[in-house]
Amino acid sequence: MTAHEVLYELPLLRQLTPDQRRSVLAAGQQRLLERGEILFHEGQQAEALFAVAGGKMKLVRYSPQGRELLLHLVHPGESFAEAALFAEGTYPATAEAMDQSLVWGLPRQSLLVLLQESPELGLAMLGSVSLWTRKLASKLELLTQRRVEERLAIYLLARTGGEELGPGDAIALAEPRNLIAAQCGTAPEVLSRTFRRLEEDGLLTAEQRQVIVHRPDDLRRLAEHLG
């Protein structure tokens, strides 16, 4: 898909007519970011909402000790920073390009004009903000109430796309270990020890690019454990 096609299918715009979608896209601008380039910093005044047309962005916060906490990875076809824009506040996280990324931005003033012309856009944005709230609530639950083994099991099962796993099936690891660790809310060395522990238990075999699952039922039970 082209960048325009990706943006045209944004969930944020699905309730709009084709003409309304084109008007919204025309009101924004695209920007090419190099890997590691910062789109905005945590605490910076919110001036636009964004969507990824190509590449990948990460939203992170930093502890007082400088430790990075990964809140979310934003893939093509996903929007972000809507809530900060509505509140006339500041961005709650830092947005950094994981790869060379094409990002579309819609300035706040342009958005306000569009909302007056299209109430449907406002309803769609409320849905998008609600989705982000649920994602952050799930992330908070994951980081505060789950052991690392459980977080890793949840991460691995999410990579299957909901497909049923059988003994010996492989789960591809498309991301480096340090990024997997960040998504699980832990350090790379802790993730490595967790993989070794699960291997010793016979649950799986961790290779460089994939994980071979030997006992999928136990992996699911680990992900569903609430104790």
Side-chain angles (χ1 to χ4, degrees):
M1 295 177 69
T2 66
H4 180 79
E5 290 171 335
V6 171
L7 294 172
Y8 191 82
E9 295 299 327
L10 281 171
L12 191 64
L13 307 181
R14 283 180 185 161
Q15 297 183 37
L16 305 183
T17 67
D19 286 343
Q20 288 173 328
R21 292 191 194 192
R22 285 188 284 269
S23 295
V24 174
L25 293 178
Q29 293 182 329
Q30 294 185 25
R31 176 180 171 186
L32 185 64
L33 301 174
E34 297 301 324
R35 180 175 180 177
E37 188 173 350
I38 301 297
L39 178 62
F40 56 74
H41 288 277
E42 177 184 348
Q44 181 180 329
Q45 188 68 33
E47 298 177 347
L49 68 85
F50 299 94
V52 177
K56 188 190 309 178
M57 300 291 296
K58 67 176 181 178
L59 303 179
V60 299
R61 297 191 70 168
Y62 295 94
S63 70
Q65 295 75 32
R67 180 186 172 191
E68 180 183 290
L69 172 62
L70 179 65
L71 298 179
H72 190 63
L73 289 178
V74 191
H75 297 88
E78 297 180 345
S79 57
F80 59 102
E82 298 96 329
L85 194 63
F86 273 124
E88 293 191 75
T90 59
Y91 293 118
T94 296
E96 179 183 336
M98 293 293 298
D99 308 299
Q100 186 182 70
S101 301
L102 184 62
V103 175
W104 171 80
L106 180 63
R108 184 174 186 275
Q109 290 305 316
S110 299
L111 172 63
L112 292 178
V113 172
L114 290 166
L115 288 174
Q116 291 176 345
E117 298 174 349
S118 175
E120 296 91 340
L121 178 60
L123 291 174
M125 292 198 68
L126 286 175
S128 185
V129 171
S130 175
L131 177 61
W132 271 108
T133 301
R134 290 196 298 271
K135 285 181 178 179
L136 291 176
S138 296
K139 186 73 173 184
L140 180 62
E141 187 269 341
L142 181 70
L143 296 178
T144 59
Q145 301 181 30
R146 298 286 193 141
R147 296 177 294 128
V148 177
E149 292 91 340
E150 295 167 1
R151 300 177 206 167
L152 179 56
I154 292 169
Y155 172 87
L156 292 174
L157 290 176
R159 305 282 76 74
T160 67
E163 293 185 7
E164 192 73 17
L165 279 175
D169 284 350
I171 299 174
L173 300 178
E175 298 160 338
R177 291 289 179 90
N178 64 325
L179 190 53
I180 295 174
Q183 292 183 82
C184 292
T186 190
E189 58 271 21
V190 176
L191 179 72
S192 295
R193 289 198 296 270
T194 303
F195 267 127
R196 285 198 296 271
R197 192 155 52 244
L198 294 179
E199 285 185 308
E200 291 169 357
D201 289 343
L203 198 71
L204 52 77
T205 298
E207 301 178 355
Q208 188 65 28
R209 298 288 184 179
Q210 65 178 8
V211 167
I212 308 299
V213 180
H214 304 303
R215 296 185 351 240
D217 289 342
D218 288 341
L219 185 67
R220 280 189 291 272
R221 277 192 284 270
L222 188 60
E224 295 167 359
H225 182 254
L226 296 176

